[in-house]
Amino acid sequence: MNLPSAHPEDLSIGPKLSSGMEPTGLARFLFELASDERLGILDAIAERPLRHVQIARQLRMTDSETTRHLNRLASAGLVTKNPQSQFEATNLARLVSAAFPLFRFLLTNRDFLLKHNVRVLPPEFVNRLGALSEGTFVTGMYDVAATQERSLRAVKRRIWVLSDQMFEQAVPIMREKAASGADVRVIRSREGFGRGTALLPAVERNYPVRLVEETRIFLAVLDDLAGICFPTVDGKIDMEAMLLLGDPVGYRWSADLFTHLWNEAREWLGPSAARDR
């Protein structure tokens, strides 16, 4: 369907998109997706092709409604009809559908995202925020702290932590778990680590510590559970709202993020090395 432009060409506002697509072209494409029925069809045929009557029955639509929505999806290049008269998603539709988890996460957590800055993450992890769709929030300072301590004490295999928040209290637990064979790794900010070690008696750490210039999130990746706290829009890490990720996709995102940050951090070689620098 070709709609006339809302503005004469000589009154065009704004540059073309970098892909060469006119802004109105993108709007039209998104408009074809802006329908519960059409999104429902794409979801229904994502796993296997379906006939017209199967789609209508599954989505409880009339034959004419089903035809209309299928025609619009086909015109947008999102649906095709195979030789068996079944409708199936195109490769373009599969690429578009891959972005849906991100939008679901943004929509579900809209109020949280208005108050918190998730763009402190590396760009590739911002693009993968849809992986957090199955996460659940623990809220309140007491509940967050209790969940952290309880989860740390239950660990048998892995403790990967990026934090400067109330961390020194956890050092005895970390040493105990490392002594028992757990893979313990810690990332701290240089300033926060120096402040914490200055306040406490000297502690022999039996696990590696790496330092970064600043910690902008809290992240813990344990045996089969991960937790992350984001900063508020003023930059302060909000330890009263922790997103727990126990599903495989969210957990993998968290482990990948820690590994990325770990590889970029600088190894701490002990107090004497710090003094030499």
Side-chain angles (χ1 to χ4, degrees):
M1 178 171 58
N2 295 319
L3 299 177
S5 173
H7 303 280
E9 290 185 5
D10 59 346
L11 295 179
S12 177
I13 56 175
K16 292 184 178 181
L17 300 185
S18 58
S19 64
M21 179 183 288
E22 293 276 4
T24 52
L26 176 60
R28 291 171 189 159
F29 181 76
L30 293 176
F31 182 74
E32 297 306 328
L33 293 170
S35 158
D36 287 336
E37 291 80 8
R38 291 191 285 281
L39 290 176
I41 290 174
L42 291 178
D43 187 56
I45 63 175
E47 296 298 325
R48 62 187 180 92
L50 295 174
R51 294 181 182 275
H52 185 288
V53 66
Q54 293 173 309
I55 295 172
R57 184 184 306 119
Q58 184 170 326
L59 298 181
R60 297 182 180 180
M61 295 191 299
T62 66
D63 288 345
S64 60
E65 286 176 327
T66 304
T67 298
R68 177 165 58 86
H69 290 301
L70 283 170
N71 285 342
R72 297 187 70 157
L73 289 170
S75 296
L78 298 170
V79 165
T80 188
K81 193 174 184 179
N82 64 27
Q84 291 74 41
S85 296
Q86 297 170 319
F87 293 91
E88 57 187 15
T90 64
N91 287 334
L92 175 61
R94 293 187 179 93
L95 288 170
V96 170
S97 296
F100 289 168
L102 170 60
F103 287 101
R104 291 191 182 101
F105 175 78
L106 299 179
L107 180 61
T108 301
N109 299 285
R110 177 171 49 190
D111 291 341
F112 177 84
L113 295 170
L114 286 171
K115 301 174 183 176
H116 295 79
N117 182 14
V118 301
R119 297 187 67 187
V120 298
L121 298 170
E124 58 268 40
F125 290 91
V126 175
N127 293 337
R128 291 173 56 190
L129 280 173
L132 310 186
S133 296
E134 299 300 318
T136 58
F137 277 99
V138 175
T139 58
M141 182 68 75
Y142 174 81
D143 288 340
V144 169
T147 299
Q148 291 173 350
E149 182 174 354
R150 182 172 61 251
S151 300
L152 278 177
R153 293 191 181 280
V155 160
K156 297 185 182 300
R157 302 184 308 277
R158 172 186 289 181
I159 300 177
W160 293 354
V161 175
L162 163 67
S163 176
D164 273 333
Q165 305 293 318
M166 301 183 296
F167 186 80
E168 297 304 318
Q169 297 96 313
V171 169
I173 301 176
M174 313 280 275
R175 295 182 68 243
E176 174 189 343
K177 298 299 181 178
S180 300
D183 177 9
V184 179
R185 307 181 196 183
V186 174
I187 304 174
R188 302 285 305 277
S189 75
R190 191 176 304 280
E191 189 273 334
F193 185 65
R195 183 178 62 247
T197 53
L199 293 175
L200 295 176
V203 175
E204 181 181 349
R205 288 169 171 79
N206 55 350
Y207 52 83
V209 175
R210 293 191 179 183
L211 303 180
V212 292
E213 289 307 313
E214 61 177 338
T215 54
R216 306 179 75 180
I217 61 170
F218 166 86
L219 176 66
V221 183
L222 310 180
D223 289 351
D224 51 11
L225 181 69
I228 185 167
C229 298
F230 292 103
T232 56
V233 291
D234 63 4
K236 182 179 179 181
I237 299 175
D238 182 6
M239 297 301 293
E240 296 191 24
M242 182 170 64
L243 183 62
L244 289 181
L245 300 156
D247 64 291
V249 175
Y251 183 85
R252 171 50 56 191
W253 180 94
S254 304
D256 289 348
L257 175 58
F258 184 90
T259 300
H260 174 90
L261 299 172
W262 178 259
N263 290 337
E264 290 196 338
R266 184 171 182 177
E267 185 177 4
W268 179 68
L269 300 176
S272 59
R275 285 195 297 271
D276 293 341
R277 287 197 295 270

